[in-house]
Amino acid sequence: MAFGSFENGGSSQPMAEINTTPLVDVMLVLLVIFIITAPLFHEAVPIDLPQVDATRLDDPPQIVSVAIDAAGEVFVDGLAIARSDLAGRLAAIGAAGGKPELHLRADRGTRYERVTEVLADAQRAGLVRIAFVTEPAR
């Protein structure tokens, strides 16, 4: 190690050299460790995994689109439905099997009572998966 001499040679400034010998020693030790352990990372560990038969995922649900305009008229899948026929149409969709989803769109000017009537008809028909479709604010 280079500490300089103990005699006061007229220079009172501190030594500005960095001793790199310990750094090189540590780097060589780390290099040897990595050389020894690197082949161990490529070893495969035998694992006995369980075998599973892939089952088919459920089919996507049938989507029933119900829209209510500002005048209170109801449209099921784009077709206008009379107020008295709505409950029967929703009951037929609910009895068809599966678990259909009801996507409900309502105009901003629609009265809340009309929306609740449609929701009540859907609930009586057995449609329990109901989504409210909205537009993002601009």
Side-chain angles (χ1 to χ4, degrees), residues 62-68 74-77 79 81-104 114-130:
Q62 174 191 2
I63 296 176
V64 179
S65 177
V66 175
I68 308 171
V74 179
F75 299 87
V76 177
D77 291 330
L79 302 172
I81 299 291
R83 187 173 186 176
S84 59
D85 297 337
L86 178 64
R89 176 72 185 267
L90 292 177
I93 291 170
K99 292 188 176 186
E101 282 186 15
L102 182 86
H103 288 192
L104 181 63
R114 185 66 183 129
V115 174
T116 57
E117 289 171 2
V118 172
L119 289 174
D121 288 341
Q123 185 178 15
R124 281 191 291 270
L127 301 174
V128 293
R129 300 180 73 185
I130 300 173

Side-chain angles (χ1 to χ4, degrees), residues 25-26 32 34 37 49 51 58-59 65 82 89 93 121 135:
D25 290 343
V26 170
V32 169
F34 285 133
T37 59
L49 295 175
Q51 298 296 323
D58 293 337
D59 292 331
S65 177
R89 176 72 185 267
I93 291 170
D121 288 341
E135 290 184 7

